[in-house]
Structure formats: C-alpha cells, structure tokens
C-alpha cells in the first residue's frame, strides 16, 4: 500500500469516527473544536505505523486495525489540545493555524480534549465485533500508552515534579504512544504485542530528538522556536549539539529497524520507517544526496 | 447485599484499579491527585446502581460488573476535577476538602482528570477476559454516557453555547452517566441495555433536581451555595419554587421505579432507589415521618 493511500484510509477512519451522523445533536462549538483538532492534521505518523505493523503481521480485520489507528491519532490530538492550553504551553498557533482554545475558548478546548480521549476508545470498541478479545488487548495497550505510570499523561506530569529524568520523561511523553501504536497494530492482526515494544521505544526516542532539533532550528512549523528551552525542558540539542542530535536521530531509527521482529511484511515497514526518518530531519541539515550505484 | 457491603466492594474495585502496584513509577503528584479525587469519595451512587442492576439481572461475572462500576465512578470523579478548575466553576472546596487544583496546581489537576478518564476504560478492559464482547458493549455504553453527543462532556459543553435547552442540557450533564451506569450493569450480566435507558434518565433528572435544591438551600456540602444561580445556570428551584422542586424530585424517582423492567432482583433495586431518594432530599425538607400500619 502506498503511503498516500494509507494516509487516506486513516483519514477516512477518523472522518467516520467523527462523522456528522454520529455527532448529531452535540453542542456545535464542541463539534467544531474537535474537528479543528483532528483535521487536516499533521503527518499521521502514529496511525501510519500502526497500520504498517498490522500489515506486516498479516492484517485480517482491517476495520479493527483502522479503528485502533484512529484511536491512537485521536489521543495524540487530544494531548496537543490540552498541551496548548495556557496552563501548559500557552500556544496560540499550531501547524500555522490558531490553537483550539484561541478559536473556541478554554472551556470548549478542555472539553474537546476530554471528548477526543473518550472517542478514541469508542473507535476501537465500535470495530470490535469480529474480535472483541483483540479489541480489549488493544484498549489495554492504548491505556498503557496514554495513562499512568508511563503513558503520555504520566510523561507530561513529570514536568510538574521537582526532578525530571530525561530518558524516563521522554520515553513516556513521546515514546509511549509510538509503542502503543505499534503494539495495537500487531494485536489487531492477532499477533503478539511484546516484540514491538522496543521498536516503539526507539521510534519514540528518534521522534523526540527530531522535535528537539526542530525546536532549536525552527523548522517544524508546529510550535514556536525555542519554546522547550524557554520552558526549561530537557533537550538533546542542548546536550549533544546540533550535529550530535542529528546523528542520534539516525542511530535511533536504525536501532528501531534492527529491532523489528521477523514478519512477513518487514520490507514495507522498513521502507516506511526510512520515509518517516527522512521527513523528521529538516532539509537544511541533510547531507547532499549521494549518487547510488 | 447490604448497601454498606456494596459500597465496600465498589471501593475495593476502585482501590484495585488505582493500586500502588499498578501505578508504580508514576509521577508522585499525579498519583496523589488522582487518589485525592477518588478517595474517600461521595455516595458512590452511580456504581451502586450499576451493581444493583447487575444483581437484578442475574450477575454471573462479578469482576466485570465491578470493573464497570469502578469505571463509571472514575469518569464521574474526572468530571468533578475538571469542572472545579478555574476555567469552569473555580471551586476551591469539594466535600469539605480542597479541590485537586488547589492542592496540586492546575496542570496536575487537568492531567489527573485525563488520567481518570483513561483508567476508567482500563477498569473495564482488565476485567474483560471471560466476556470480552460484553466488555466492549459496556465500553460503548460508557462512551455514550461521557462523550458526544449526549454524554456529560456534551452536556457540559452546552454551557459554552449561546442558547441552552434545560432538559437536553440536564439530561446530558447528569442523566447520561446514570443511564450508562444502569446499562453497564445490565450488560455486565449479559442482559439487554435498552430497557434501562428510561430508568437512568429518570434517576438523572431526579438527581439534577436534588442538586438544584441543595444549591438553593445549602445542604449538599459539595459546592458553595448559590453557585448555579451565580453562574446563570438553569435551576428547577427557580422554575418551580422549593416545594415544587421537592415534588418534582419525588415524581421522578417514582417514575424511575415504574420504568424498571421485569427482572429477578427488582425488589432489592426498588429498595435501593428509595434509599437514594431519601438521601437526596435535605432532612429539613422532609415531611414528618408517618406512622406505618
């Protein structure tokens, strides 16, 4: 499956979960806020990975796989809406557009984040008919990626503690949801979750380093440059320098690829990870392309 | 089962879901905040009703029933933590103790609410082994009670709209979680959910009227007197007068009891509803007890 076809299927699954028919009768501002948070969206990296792992494991229930992929993205969007609130990052823009609370106010933004968490679990449950036990395992994997002790909420909450351990913090804040995405993909195809934990952790670390790089050089388009430094957050660029951080990013992606367990569709998945890695590094920092052959 | 025994079993289920072992490694303030939000708790009315309905329907998987009951209470606690935040009610006390954000700050309070929502779904999922399809139906019933269009989040979001319909607003804000509680109890016992919708709606309306009465006469102990009026919220007392509101409360409880479908344990459930109703009306408003016989 091409990357753009996979992207389309994920957007279709998200549109289905948040369809006008299903949300009919909701307060209109809440619906608009939720849609603003989810569409048009960013790279959809987590659900793309979830779908790719399911395919690598012999996907046999695409509705369940896509429900899980949508769930991961909904939770990710929820975390962005809450993180952008004045009480956290106080961000007025994301991806070049006003943040949810700038458009709809803090009350609606807080509720929109809550609603996105709730409907993430619904995206799994409503696709569970054929394999309810798999769906329950996916639910638990999602909880591990989002909740306590080491999901993204646990990670975020470390920022309110007097002492932060960079690796534990980043593993939870970013890595946990990648781990969940990969594991949910495997579980949706009836495969074991455990072998995918390490792959997810590595991708999460790569992604966090990439985020630090974007924060330092201002190429992400997501949040304001220097925000992490201003907020006193740990940063790979401050610790390793810019070139060192780019090397660390590449190392993590290679480590992720090495950690992929033996499976039918390994090749397609490795290709996707290379694609993702190339999109993570700002173009200005890429070495000139070498001629192949 | 006595009311106090049922209360104990629900508290045990909640303590299990938020046990030290399961949360080990979480940021300590987040754990304290979540515990503060859930323990010692209020009347546990929603989970008590959920358990009572399961028993009335021939409960055969108590772990699943109690997981669902805990889930309903966790979501209820989450809604209180978020509602108390400065952006909503700006409440400094609840049940005579400082609110979560007063003790732990707004960041941790927001995250604690998010975590409670997530772990509510976990409480169902981790008890799902024997009956995963039932657990998935319970998950969907919980989503309907919490999310869009007509769950408690949908209800709360009506407060941010220019026009509010009192019945739609109250049915969503309070009634929806009662409906979910009852339906989840039935589903956990392998029974149909649909016949319990009307019972839940009636109990929800009774509860909302009781809340309006407490708000007017200051007997609830939960939130400050006159808060709803100050915030311009609709109130049964303003519309019907105090005596009219007490009558409306009794009428709703009787209507709820009439709506209970035929089932084995109907008698115990009716007794519980009468208990709940008596606790809802402030003692000063109760007519002198009539001699029986």
């Amino acid at each position: 499956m091409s990357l753009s076809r996979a992207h389309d299927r994920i957007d279709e699954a998200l549109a289905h979960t948040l369809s006008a028919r299903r949300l009919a009768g909701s307060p209109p501002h809440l619906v608009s806020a939720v849609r603003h948070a989810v569409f048009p969206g960013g790279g959809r990296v987590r659900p793309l990975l979830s779908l790719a792992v399911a395919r690598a494991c012999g996907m046999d229930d695409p509705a369940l796989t896509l429900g899980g992929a949508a769930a991961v993205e909904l939770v990710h969007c929820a975390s962005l809406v809450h993180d952008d609130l004045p009480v956290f990052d106080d961000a007025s823009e994301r991806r070049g557009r006003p943040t949810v609370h700038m458009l709809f106010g803090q009350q609606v933004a807080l509720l929109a984040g809550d609603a996105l968490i709730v409907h993430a679990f619904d995206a799994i449950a409503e696709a569970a008919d054929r394999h309810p036990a798999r769906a329950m395992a996916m639910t638990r994997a999602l909880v591990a990626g989002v909740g306590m002790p080491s999901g993204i909420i646990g990670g975020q909450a470390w920022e309110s503690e007097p002492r932060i351990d960079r690796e534990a913090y980043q593993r939870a804040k970013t890595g946990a949801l990648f781990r969940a995405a990969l594991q949910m993909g495997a579980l949706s195809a009836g495969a074991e979750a455990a072998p995918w934990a390490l792959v997810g952790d590595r991708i999460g670390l790569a992604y966090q380093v990439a985020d630090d790089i974007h924060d330092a050089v201002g190429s992400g388009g997501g949040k304001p440059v220097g925000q992490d430094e201003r907020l006193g957050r740990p940063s790979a660029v401050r610790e390793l320098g810019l070139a060192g951080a780019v090397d660390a990013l590449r190392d993590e992606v290679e480590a992720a690829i090495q950690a992929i367990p033996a499976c039918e569709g390994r090749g397609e998945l490795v290709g996707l990870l290379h694609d993702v890695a190339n999109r993570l590094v700002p173009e200005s920092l890429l070495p000139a392309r070498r001629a192949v052959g």
Side-chain angles (χ1 to χ4, degrees), chain A residues 6-276:
Chain A
H7 203 293
D8 287 349
R9 290 190 75 179
I10 286 156
D11 272 10
E12 285 159 23
L14 289 165
H16 172 71
T17 300
L18 302 177
S19 69
R21 188 183 61 76
R22 293 165 63 100
L23 303 189
S26 303
H29 287 95
L30 180 63
V31 173
S32 301
V34 161
R35 293 238 171 86
H36 184 78
V38 178
F39 303 105
R44 309 287 196 212
V45 179
R46 293 160 193 80
L48 282 172
L49 288 166
S50 197
L51 178 56
V53 169
R55 286 169 57 81
C57 294
M59 175 167 77
D60 62 351
D61 187 347
L64 183 57
T65 295
L66 286 164
V72 170
E73 184 68 9
L74 292 173
V75 161
H76 171 60
C77 293
S79 76
L80 300 181
V81 174
H82 281 182
D83 283 1
D84 285 341
L85 284 170
V87 70
F88 288 110
D89 292 356
D90 196 12
S92 56
E93 286 199 7
R94 178 172 290 278
R95 295 176 196 139
R97 299 189 309 156
T99 47
V100 174
H101 66 273
M102 293 300 287
L103 283 180
F104 300 98
Q106 291 189 54
Q107 293 192 345
V108 173
L110 202 155
L111 293 170
D114 290 353
L116 286 166
I117 298 173
V118 170
H119 286 269
F121 289 98
D122 198 38
I124 301 172
E126 74 140 354
D129 285 356
R130 283 180 54 207
H131 296 105
R134 289 186 193 174
M136 274 298 157
M138 292 164 70
T139 298
R140 301 212 73 193
L142 184 58
V143 169
V146 184
M148 301 174 284
S150 320
I152 52 175
I153 294 169
Q156 180 71 38
W158 277 114
E159 290 182 14
S160 303
E161 296 287 335
R163 295 178 62 91
I164 305 184
D165 174 308
R166 182 172 89 87
E167 201 171 319
Y169 162 71
Q170 294 189 340
R171 196 180 294 263
K173 192 173 172 186
T174 310
L177 202 51
F178 281 101
R179 198 187 322 140
L182 270 62
Q183 294 192 316
M184 289 166 72
L187 290 166
S188 76
E192 291 291 319
W196 296 93
L198 186 59
V199 190
D201 289 344
R202 291 297 189 177
I203 296 173
L205 288 172
Y207 214 78
Q208 185 67 48
V209 174
D211 203 50
D212 292 347
I213 294 171
H214 287 294
D215 186 66
V217 305
S219 54
K223 53 187 187 176
V225 181
Q227 176 167 287
D228 290 339
E229 183 153 6
R230 203 177 73 241
L231 297 173
R233 291 179 185 150
S235 156
V237 175
R238 261 207 318 285
E239 288 182 23
L240 306 170
L242 194 54
V246 173
D247 284 347
L249 168 66
R250 297 189 171 284
D251 289 349
E252 292 296 349
V253 172
E254 285 311 313
I257 288 170
Q258 292 303 319
I260 295 174
C263 56
E264 219 177 307
R266 194 176 190 281
E268 188 178 324
L269 183 56
V270 171
L272 176 66
L273 283 181
H274 278 134
D275 273 2
V276 168

